[in-house]
């Protein structure tokens, strides 16, 4: 009996200690503004390195001031060009699934986007808002937070999901891990048109489009799966480039969800995404012969924010966008059926308030993050160019107004441009140029600022942001 009492006392003491610790954490970690705040402490004071996970712990303070504590999470840097910026993006891998965005699935994997090259910090979120109005079933969520690492304030960040096959994300059937010889090879697969050719990639036979296989991942995919999915993509491309590509049965249409393809493409044009055909996700479900385009991802230099392309208000990405996959879109526009689909679908979306909802979302989000963005730009500066930014302003509201104006004017242009393309479908030959198929990788200095003229560089160290990043000194 004595032993039972002693054990009971110890249990009560342990629970009391835990409650005291949790209460102390809640008092110590508070919201900085009206947004949720994420505090992360990296064990042993380690610096965060890209793709090298460090052990950390997290306190997540939501809008209601509830504090959620997560220990033994893994944290690493992420991004290609964006990792070179002073304000850096991160990825989190939690020990247990956690719901961090209300109404969305719990998960172990989350992304913290810095949006450093977009002064509004809204472009990625607004692209998701656009996708939500279409037939695209999987659109990354967004929740803006204040972010602190090891006691140092980092600024306004966007919490979002990792693009992965999982419930509530790309919700398709995953391939078994490890695979078995009798498995159904037809799916699911998560793929990406990947101009950086990072990871497990193959190149299509006719248009030489680089395709990355994200899932099954590099460690688990077998040769049968690799062969199957590369054949599926190549067959889509073969049919698209064949003489009878317009045929409803022999052509490309049976091998893609045409409504999703149309909506995905309209979103690329509405957002003015110059990298639409250089980096883009798509997937294939098990038991479904079709490829599905989406989710939408990586729009911080879209909406007229890419100085390589200049002012794109009155431009089609089908004409000037980067990436080998632009050849697919050029070919699709030669099909009168596809041209009619795009024109009809775009007008349907406009009638449903497509543009007005984007404008409303911009105003709502800009208001929500106002106090946070003031702190963010007190730290990072509002009028300093980062990466490919085309226009600089002295105030946050001016950047927001620019974004809304771009969408309004570009949407009007697209209405007329799509109408003209429909009228000329099947007769207009759009030539590919080297500037449009190649992706000119920028050179940046160590602060992440783009160097536009590389002929007369000052002495120093610069980074070439192409595949296999190179450091150059002068």
């Amino acid at each position: 009996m004595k032993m039972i009492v002693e054990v009971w006392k110890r249990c009560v003491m342990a629970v009391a200690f835990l409650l005291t610790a949790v209460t102390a954490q809640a008092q110590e970690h508070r919201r900085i503004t009206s947004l949720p705040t994420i505090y992360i402490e990296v064990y042993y004071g380690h610096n965060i390195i890209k793709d090298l996970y460090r052990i950390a712990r997290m306190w997540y303070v939501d809008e209601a001031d509830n504090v959620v504590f997560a220990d033994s999470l893994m944290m690493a840097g992420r991004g290609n060009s964006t990792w070179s910026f002073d304000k850096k993006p991160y990825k989190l891998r939690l020990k247990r699934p956690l719901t961090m965005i209300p109404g969305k699935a719990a998960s172990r994997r989350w992304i913290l986007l810095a949006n450093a090259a977009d002064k509004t910090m809204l472009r990625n979120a607004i692209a998701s808002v656009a996708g939500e109005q279409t037939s695209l079933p999987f659109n990354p969520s967004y929740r803006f937070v204040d972010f602190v690492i090891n006691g140092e304030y980092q600024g306004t960040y966007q919490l979002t999901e990792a693009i992965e096959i999982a419930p509530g994300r790309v919700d398709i059937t995953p391939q078994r891990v490890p695979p078995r010889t009798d498995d159904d090879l037809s799916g699911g697969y998560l793929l990406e048109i990947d101009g950086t050719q990072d990871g497990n990639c193959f190149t299509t036979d006719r248009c030489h489009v680089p395709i990355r296989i994200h899932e099954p991942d590099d460690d688990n995919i077998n040769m049968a799966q690799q062969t199957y999915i590369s054949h599926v993509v190549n067959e889509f491309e073969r049919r698209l480039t064949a003489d009878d590509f317009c045929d409803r049965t022999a052509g490309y249409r049976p091998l893609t969800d045409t409504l999703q393809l149309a909506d995905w493409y309209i979103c690329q044009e509405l957002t003015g995404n110059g990298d639409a055909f250089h980096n883009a996700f798509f997937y294939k479900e098990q038991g479904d012969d079709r490829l599905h385009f989406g989710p939408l991802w990586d729009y911080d230099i879209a909406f007229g924010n890419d100085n390589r392309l200049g002012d794109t208000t009155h431009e089609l990405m089908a004409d000037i966008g980067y990436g080998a996959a632009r050849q697919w879109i050029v070919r699709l526009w030669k099909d009168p059926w596809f041209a009619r689909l795009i024109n009809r679908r775009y007008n349907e979306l406009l009638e449903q308030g497509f543009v007005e909802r984007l404008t409303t979302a911009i105003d709502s989000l800009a208001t929500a993050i106002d106090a946070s963005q003031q702190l963010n730009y007190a730290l990072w500066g509002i009028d300093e160019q980062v990466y490919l930014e085309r226009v600089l302003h002295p105030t946050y509201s001016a950047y927001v107004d620019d974004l809304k104006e771009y969408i309004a004017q570009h949407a009007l242009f697209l209405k007329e441009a799509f109408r003209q393309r429909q009228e000329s479908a099947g007769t207009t030959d759009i030539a590919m140029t080297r500037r449009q198929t190649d992706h000119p990788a920028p050179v940046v200095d160590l602060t992440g600022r783009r160097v536009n003229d590389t002929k007369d560089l000052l002495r120093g160290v610069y980074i070439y942001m192409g595949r296999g990043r190179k450091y150059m000194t002068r």
Side-chain angles (χ1 to χ4, degrees):
M1 187 66 180
K2 264 187 175 180
M3 185 178 294
I4 294 175
V5 171
E6 186 63 28
V7 170
W8 174 253
K9 284 182 179 179
R10 289 181 182 179
C11 289
V12 170
M13 289 174 64
V15 171
F17 175 80
L18 180 61
L19 289 174
T20 301
V22 170
T23 302
Q25 291 167 4
Q27 292 173 346
E28 180 183 352
H29 298 95
R30 296 192 173 106
R31 282 183 297 146
I32 295 174
T33 68
S34 59
L35 299 180
T37 301
I38 293 178
Y39 294 88
I40 288 183
E41 291 183 5
V42 183
Y43 283 104
Y44 313 116
H46 282 150
N47 292 327
I48 300 297
I49 300 173
K50 182 186 174 185
D51 295 329
L52 178 61
Y53 279 96
R54 303 290 198 187
I55 302 175
R57 55 182 181 172
M58 176 184 74
W59 291 264
Y60 178 52
V61 189
D62 67 16
E63 293 98 328
D65 295 316
N66 299 308
V67 180
V68 177
F69 175 67
D71 200 0
S72 300
L73 65 88
M74 305 297 288
M75 179 180 183
R78 66 169 305 279
N80 293 312
S81 301
T82 54
W83 181 247
S84 69
F85 307 157
D86 290 339
K87 186 186 178 189
K88 299 184 182 300
Y90 301 98
K91 53 187 175 183
L92 307 178
R93 185 176 293 170
L94 306 182
K95 192 174 182 179
R96 299 179 186 84
L98 180 64
T99 300
M100 298 187 71
I101 300 180
K104 300 298 179 180
S107 178
R108 294 178 58 237
R109 295 179 61 197
W110 295 93
I111 301 293
L112 283 164
L113 297 177
N115 291 317
D118 166 22
K119 290 295 192 295
T120 70
M121 298 185 284
L122 302 178
R123 282 173 165 83
N124 279 305
I126 295 306
S128 288
V129 174
E132 289 167 356
Q133 298 181 63
T134 71
S135 65
L136 300 180
F138 313 124
N139 297 287
S141 299
Y142 47 89
R143 195 180 206 191
F144 290 94
V145 299
D146 293 305
F147 185 42
V148 178
I149 299 179
N150 291 341
E152 294 186 6
Y153 173 70
Q154 302 296 310
T156 309
Y157 275 69
Q158 179 183 335
L159 177 67
T160 188
E161 300 105 330
I163 303 299
E164 61 179 338
I165 297 177
R169 298 195 172 180
V170 181
D171 200 351
I172 61 176
T173 307
Q175 288 280 292
R176 195 198 317 261
V177 176
R180 299 178 184 173
T181 55
D182 60 343
D183 281 348
D184 183 351
L185 294 178
S186 67
Y189 296 89
L190 178 61
L191 309 168
E192 182 184 10
I193 298 166
D194 187 358
T196 59
Q197 299 187 47
D198 184 22
N200 179 21
C201 293
F202 67 91
T203 302
T204 60
D205 295 337
R206 297 195 174 194
C207 297
H208 310 294
V209 178
I211 305 294
R212 180 178 179 183
I213 305 173
H214 281 274
E215 296 189 50
D217 64 25
D218 301 8
D219 295 331
N220 293 300
I221 193 168
N222 63 23
M223 185 57 67
Q225 294 167 331
Q226 179 99 15
T227 301
Y228 171 82
I229 194 58
S230 61
H231 171 76
V232 169
V233 177
N234 273 302
E235 178 61 13
F236 166 75
E237 184 180 85
R238 185 197 68 77
R239 291 198 187 194
L240 181 60
T241 55
D243 291 341
D244 58 354
F245 79 106
C246 294
D247 188 279
R248 63 183 301 173
T249 55
Y252 67 90
R253 280 189 249 169
L255 297 186
T256 185
D257 185 314
T258 52
L259 178 57
Q260 285 185 19
L261 172 61
D263 284 345
W264 173 85
Y265 171 63
I266 287 170
C267 285
Q268 305 311 317
E269 292 289 5
L270 183 66
T271 60
N273 183 17
D275 282 346
F277 319 121
H278 181 260
N279 288 96
F281 282 100
F282 63 115
Y283 59 92
K284 185 182 181 300
E285 171 63 295
Q286 192 172 93
D288 185 347
D289 292 337
R290 302 169 300 168
L291 296 173
H292 299 257
F293 283 78
L296 305 177
W297 182 257
D298 199 3
Y299 288 79
D300 56 336
I301 59 172
F303 298 98
N305 193 36
D306 184 344
N307 63 19
R308 298 169 302 174
L309 298 174
D311 184 1
T312 59
T313 305
H314 300 99
E315 300 279 4
L316 283 175
M317 296 304 105
D319 293 338
I320 66 170
Y322 294 106
R326 194 177 77 86
Q327 298 168 84
W328 291 356
I329 298 299
V330 168
R331 184 66 167 170
L332 285 166
W333 269 118
K334 295 180 181 179
D335 179 4
W337 181 88
F338 178 81
R340 290 193 300 272
L341 172 63
I342 295 299
N343 193 45
R344 183 183 73 246
R345 180 61 175 154
Y346 183 64
N347 280 285
E348 287 175 356
L349 291 170
L350 289 180
E351 291 171 4
Q352 294 166 10
F354 200 18
V355 173
E356 291 80 4
R357 290 175 185 172
L358 296 185
T359 301
T360 299
I362 292 170
D363 287 337
S364 176
L365 290 172
T367 300
I369 71 171
D370 186 57
S372 181
Q373 65 83 13
Q374 292 179 44
L375 294 176
N376 180 85
Y377 288 117
L379 177 64
W380 298 114
I382 191 83
D383 57 357
E384 297 179 8
Q385 184 190 24
V386 178
Y387 196 41
L388 301 173
E389 288 180 309
R390 195 174 62 84
V391 179
L392 296 177
H393 294 293
T395 65
Y396 180 74
S397 61
Y399 288 105
V400 172
D401 289 343
D402 255 5
L403 177 57
K404 292 192 293 184
E405 181 67 12
Y406 177 87
I407 292 174
Q409 295 303 316
H410 190 54
L412 290 175
F413 162 76
L414 290 179
K415 184 176 176 67
E416 179 61 19
F418 288 163
R419 184 191 66 78
Q420 292 178 3
R421 283 295 166 90
Q422 178 182 330
E423 291 179 352
S424 60
T427 61
T428 302
D429 189 19
I430 309 169
M432 293 290 288
T433 67
R434 182 172 180 80
R435 183 179 76 83
Q436 293 157 353
T437 55
D438 291 350
H439 189 276
V443 174
V444 300
D445 63 22
L446 292 182
T447 69
R449 183 188 296 274
R450 178 182 169 87
V451 178
N452 293 312
D453 184 1
T454 58
K455 293 181 181 179
D456 299 308
L457 289 176
L458 298 175
R459 293 180 64 83
V461 179
Y462 301 87
I463 305 171
Y464 171 73
M465 302 302 296
R467 186 185 176 198
R469 181 177 301 172
K470 301 174 184 177
Y471 292 83
M472 46 190 286
T473 59
R474 187 175 178 87

